[in-house]
Amino acid sequence: MSPHSGFPTLTPAVVVKLNVANANPHGIIHTGSTFTHFDCPSGTIESAEGFLPAFKAKVNFGADWCTFDADREHGRLNLKVVARTDEDASISLDYNGVIRMDEAAWKVFTMQPDAKTMAFGAATGSCHFVVGDEKLKALENDVFAGNGRIIVGENGLVAESRLCQIVPSTDRD
C-alpha cells in the first residue's frame, strides 16, 4: 500500500477575478485583530478550461471582511461574492482563506503606491457555491480549495483565486 493511499486529488475548476474598489478600515476588534472591509463590486467567476459544468459569470457584488492577526503575520479572508451567469442564473461564492503577511503583502493590503503584484502561494483557502441553475447544481455538492494573489495594475487591485475541485480517493486499503 502506498503511503499516499486514500488522499484526494485536485482538478483545476474555477478562476475568480475580483476588482477591489476600496478599503474601509474599521480598527482593532475584541480579539486584537485589525478589521478591514474591502469592496469588490465587479469581476468574473468562470470555469477553468475543461472543467464541467462550464460557466461564465459577472460579479455584481463582492466584499471581503478581512482581519489581520495582532502579530501581523497572517490575514484572515471572509469573502462573499454574488454573480450572474451568461444564462442569467445567480451564483454565489463564500470563500475563507489565510494569507501569510510580509512587508510586500502589507503594502498591497494598505494600498501603498509602491505595492507590487503578489505571487501565488501566500494565500490559500476553501469555498462553497450556491447556484440558481440546476445545470450548475454539481458545484454545490463539491468541495473546492485553492490559492490566490493580488494583481496590482494601473486601474487598481484585482484579487485572483484559482480553485480546484477536491476529488475524493477511491482507494480501498
Side-chain angles (χ1 to χ4, degrees), residues 15-165:
V15 177
V16 180
K17 293 183 179 178
L18 301 172
N19 299 310
V20 180
N22 55 29
N24 304 295
H26 288 276
I28 297 173
I29 59 175
H30 68 91
T31 62
S33 296
T34 302
F35 169 54
T36 302
H37 174 266
F38 293 92
D39 290 323
C40 305
S42 62
T44 59
I45 304 173
E46 62 183 88
S47 54
E49 185 177 333
F51 180 78
L52 296 174
F55 67 94
K56 289 184 180 180
K58 291 182 182 168
V59 172
N60 50 34
F61 171 82
D64 189 353
W65 290 264
C66 190
T67 58
F68 300 97
D69 293 353
D71 65 9
R72 298 178 47 92
E73 291 186 20
H74 293 91
R76 314 280 168 182
L77 303 174
N78 180 11
L79 178 68
K80 313 276 188 213
V81 178
V82 179
R84 286 236 167 247
T85 68
D86 288 351
E87 291 75 31
D88 201 37
S90 64
I91 183 169
S92 70
L93 174 147
D94 288 353
Y95 181 95
N96 290 288
V98 178
I99 304 168
R100 286 188 314 278
M101 299 299 293
D102 58 16
E103 184 179 345
W106 278 111
K107 285 184 178 186
V108 170
F109 279 91
T110 56
M111 298 183 163
Q112 298 300 310
D114 60 340
K116 305 246 186 295
T117 294
M118 295 174 62
F120 284 108
T124 58
S126 63
C127 76
H128 69 273
F129 292 93
V130 176
V131 299
D133 184 342
E134 186 66 30
K135 291 181 266 183
L136 300 176
K137 184 72 174 166
L139 294 172
E140 293 184 0
N141 299 323
D142 282 321
V143 177
F144 297 87
N147 63 16
R149 66 178 176 165
I150 306 292
I151 300 167
V152 179
E154 290 181 16
N155 297 323
L157 303 178
V158 175
E160 178 181 9
S161 294
R162 296 191 180 208
L163 304 171
C164 288
Q165 174 191 39

